[in-house]
Amino acid sequence: MGRMPKPIETPVPSRAELVDHLVRTRISGQVATPRENNLSHYRKLANGDRHYWLGLELGDRWADEQDVLAVMAERCGVVDDAAYRFGQDTIDPELTVSGLERMAARLRKAALDRQRVLLATGHPGGLLDVHRATAAALRAAGCEIVVIPSGLVADEGSVWQFADVAVLERGATLWHTHSPEPMAAILDGLTAEGRPQPDLVVADHGWAGCAAQRGLDAVGYADCNDPALFVGEAEGTLQVAVPLDDHVRDPRFYDPMVAYLLAAAGLL
């Protein structure tokens, strides 16, 4: 039997090299997301707009947008000055790498225990291959990558799986979505078929939030204008939220980050 191919061929950077790369490619550091967009999303979360809760149930615990800003400054690295209203905002690359290391620890456990893992993305233009490479590494390590039920629909689209990653499709296009409904459709579909729930969900946006809210182990990626997952991590609902710009100019920019993640997890 031939050996399994490596999931990726990118050299594994050192922590310092990765921090430099994240800043240079604007995955972290001075990111493209404007401050006014961030503050608007924090305000909408605080005002109870469920679109910005990403599938989590936050009640009235985060009704003060200054509390949301404080969490985002601590866990994502945005500017903590409430008077800073316009201009560029920031993601701390050290927090990005620390988040990757926490995610790697959970991936390592999944591999050691040969767990069932579901991967999904609401940001296919940026993160699809990040999740695909993770799925390939986990499969090579003996994990079961959950195959989603067929015929699922959500938000006027179809929920499919490409390269082991669940996505929402509409009109022959993979859809950018913050909605938790596609993940809800998958988890309900598994139950309807009498199949077990995943041991771990690796995702982003509402896909991660929905899984975490249902009590599943969930880790994910989140941008600085998506505060809900960081709030969920602060409350202990979501296990890990890795801060990054989730759609940079070239998806290949994420390759060194994925190499670092998988190496830290012992999956290369």
Side-chain angles (χ1 to χ4, degrees):
M1 181 180 294
R3 291 184 299 172
M4 291 291 292
K6 289 185 178 181
I8 56 176
E9 298 298 333
T10 304
V12 178
S14 68
R15 183 183 178 110
E17 289 169 341
L18 180 58
V19 166
D20 179 71
H21 172 80
L22 295 173
V23 172
R24 188 173 62 252
T25 58
R26 301 183 74 185
I27 294 172
S28 304
Q30 293 283 336
V31 293
T33 310
R35 175 69 166 190
E36 48 269 38
N37 181 261
N38 283 347
L39 294 180
S40 172
H41 288 199
Y42 304 168
R43 185 177 312 112
K44 288 173 180 176
L45 180 149
N47 289 339
D49 187 333
R50 285 180 172 269
H51 175 78
Y52 296 91
W53 288 12
L54 301 182
L56 295 166
E57 292 297 329
L58 304 179
D60 59 1
R61 299 185 297 279
W62 298 91
D64 186 341
E65 67 179 277
Q66 298 307 314
D67 291 340
V68 181
L69 175 60
V71 166
M72 294 303 293
E74 175 190 7
R75 294 180 177 269
C76 186
V78 301
V79 177
D80 62 0
D81 182 2
Y84 180 59
R85 311 295 298 179
F86 301 96
Q88 289 306 117
D89 216 333
T90 57
I91 295 175
D92 185 341
E94 296 288 349
L95 293 178
T96 302
V97 179
S98 293
L100 291 169
E101 290 169 349
R102 295 196 308 278
M103 181 182 284
R106 186 60 186 84
L107 296 180
R108 180 185 291 270
K109 174 177 171 54
L112 289 173
D113 295 345
R114 300 200 169 191
Q115 292 184 335
R116 297 181 305 277
V117 184
L118 173 64
L119 300 99
T121 186
H123 228 308
L127 299 179
L128 179 62
D129 203 49
V130 171
H131 292 299
R132 179 218 48 90
T134 305
L138 288 169
R139 184 188 294 281
C143 288
E144 174 190 342
I145 303 304
V146 175
V147 176
I148 69 171
S150 61
L152 299 178
V153 295
D155 296 331
E156 301 180 347
S158 300
V159 185
W160 300 116
Q161 207 163 19
F162 294 97
D164 287 328
V165 184
V167 293
L168 181 67
E169 185 266 351
R170 285 189 202 161
T173 300
L174 303 188
W175 209 254
H176 173 210
T177 177
H178 290 72
S179 172
E181 295 306 317
M183 178 59 74
I186 293 172
L187 300 180
D188 291 344
L190 291 172
T191 298
E193 291 185 353
R195 296 166 57 195
Q197 297 290 289
D199 298 309
L200 174 65
V201 173
V202 183
D204 48 69
H205 286 181
W207 305 76
C210 174
Q213 186 60 45
R214 293 200 179 195
L216 301 177
D217 282 8
V219 299
Y221 302 96
D223 209 328
C224 55
N225 62 355
D226 292 327
L229 295 189
F230 297 103
V231 167
E233 183 186 37
E235 292 194 327
T237 310
L238 187 81
Q239 292 195 341
V240 180
V242 178
L244 48 66
D245 186 317
D246 55 16
H247 197 152
V248 293
R249 180 170 54 84
D250 184 347
R252 292 274 69 81
F253 288 164
Y254 296 111
D255 287 355
M257 181 192 81
V258 177
Y260 186 90
L261 170 72
L262 298 183
L267 296 175
L268 290 183

